[in-house]
Each structure stands twice: as structure tokens, then as C-alpha cells.
Amino acid sequence: MLDRPAAPLPAHPRPDPPAPPTPGAVLWSTVTVDDRSVTYGVTGTGRTALFLHGWGLRPHAYRARIRHLGLVGCRVLAPVMPGFGGTRGLPSNQRSFEGYAAWVARFLDAVGIDHVDLVAGHSLGGGVATQFVHDA
């Protein structure tokens, strides 16, 4: 379990996605990536963290962990990855860790994020997170 930092982590200047209405709340929004509507959650303030869900799931399954990261000084973005939770899947030639990682970069571009301080994921999301960091 993460400990609450003594002070919020400094934020990098960048355009911000919508802010949640109350501390700990996750605000769900949509953005267009590759001409496809993508639902994503955002919560917290501070350094940007990206959370990628596991196979067969969507970010809602990790709501408590996403909220916790937001409460301890991170601005968390949690997209519904292609092929899950209503987000249309990637073309078959892009269904790989490399393809999903490239999609993550386009998602971040669509929401105006040019720097991520923490990338975390579970299951499929962990593999995509590792590939995304490797490719960055």
C-alpha cells in the first residue's frame, strides 16, 4: 500500500484534462482517438499517472486504486483500452503490445498530455505499460 506523501508532488506545466468535482471522485469523460470514442477516468492533482486496466476488464474495476493514487498526489488518467468496455478494438495488425502502446501515446496526445510521471498497469495493461515506457 502506498503511503501518503508529506506534500503534493510538483506538477509539470501542461494542459489538464477535466478536474474531478471532489477529492477522490473519478470524473468519466470521452475523447476521440483514431476516430473512435474512448471513455477515460481522471482524478487527483499533481504529477501525471497513467493506469492501464487488465484483460477483460476496464478501469472501473480498479476504481479504489485509481482514487487512492489521486488522493496521494497524482493526477490519474485511466482509459478504457481498445477492445474493452465499449472502446472499439484496434485493427488486427495492431493487436500487440507495440500496437497498444502506440495507441496509448495517441490517447495521451488527444487529452493534451505530453509527459507522464508514472505508468502502471495490471495484466494486459502491465505489458502495455512496459512497452509504452520502453518506446517513449
Side-chain angles (χ1 to χ4, degrees):
M1 172 150 328
L2 297 174
D3 292 325
R4 189 176 302 268
L9 300 170
H12 294 278
R14 64 190 170 276
D16 286 329
T22 57
V26 179
L27 175 67
W28 297 97
S29 191
T30 59
V31 67
T32 301
V33 179
D34 300 335
D35 297 320
R36 299 174 170 142
S37 180
V38 175
T39 300
Y40 69 101
V42 63
T43 190
T45 60
R47 289 190 159 178
T48 302
L50 175 68
F51 186 88
L52 303 173
H53 63 80
W55 181 264
L57 298 169
R58 54 192 180 137
H60 297 76
Y62 305 93
R63 199 170 325 175
R65 295 294 94 211
I66 292 167
R67 283 185 194 144
H68 182 77
L69 284 170
L71 288 170
V72 297
C74 292
R75 181 169 192 78
V76 185
L77 287 95
V80 177
M81 293 197 301
F84 303 95
T87 299
R88 196 168 76 195
L90 291 173
S92 60
N93 65 338
Q94 295 177 26
R95 292 181 193 150
S96 63
F97 287 132
E98 294 87 356
Y100 276 98
W103 178 88
V104 167
R106 294 189 301 273
F107 163 76
L108 291 171
D109 185 56
V111 295
I113 299 296
D114 60 6
H115 178 83
V116 179
D117 297 291
L118 171 70
V119 182
H122 173 252
S123 181
L124 171 69
V128 174
T130 300
Q131 186 70 49
F132 174 76
V133 170
H134 174 270
D135 294 348

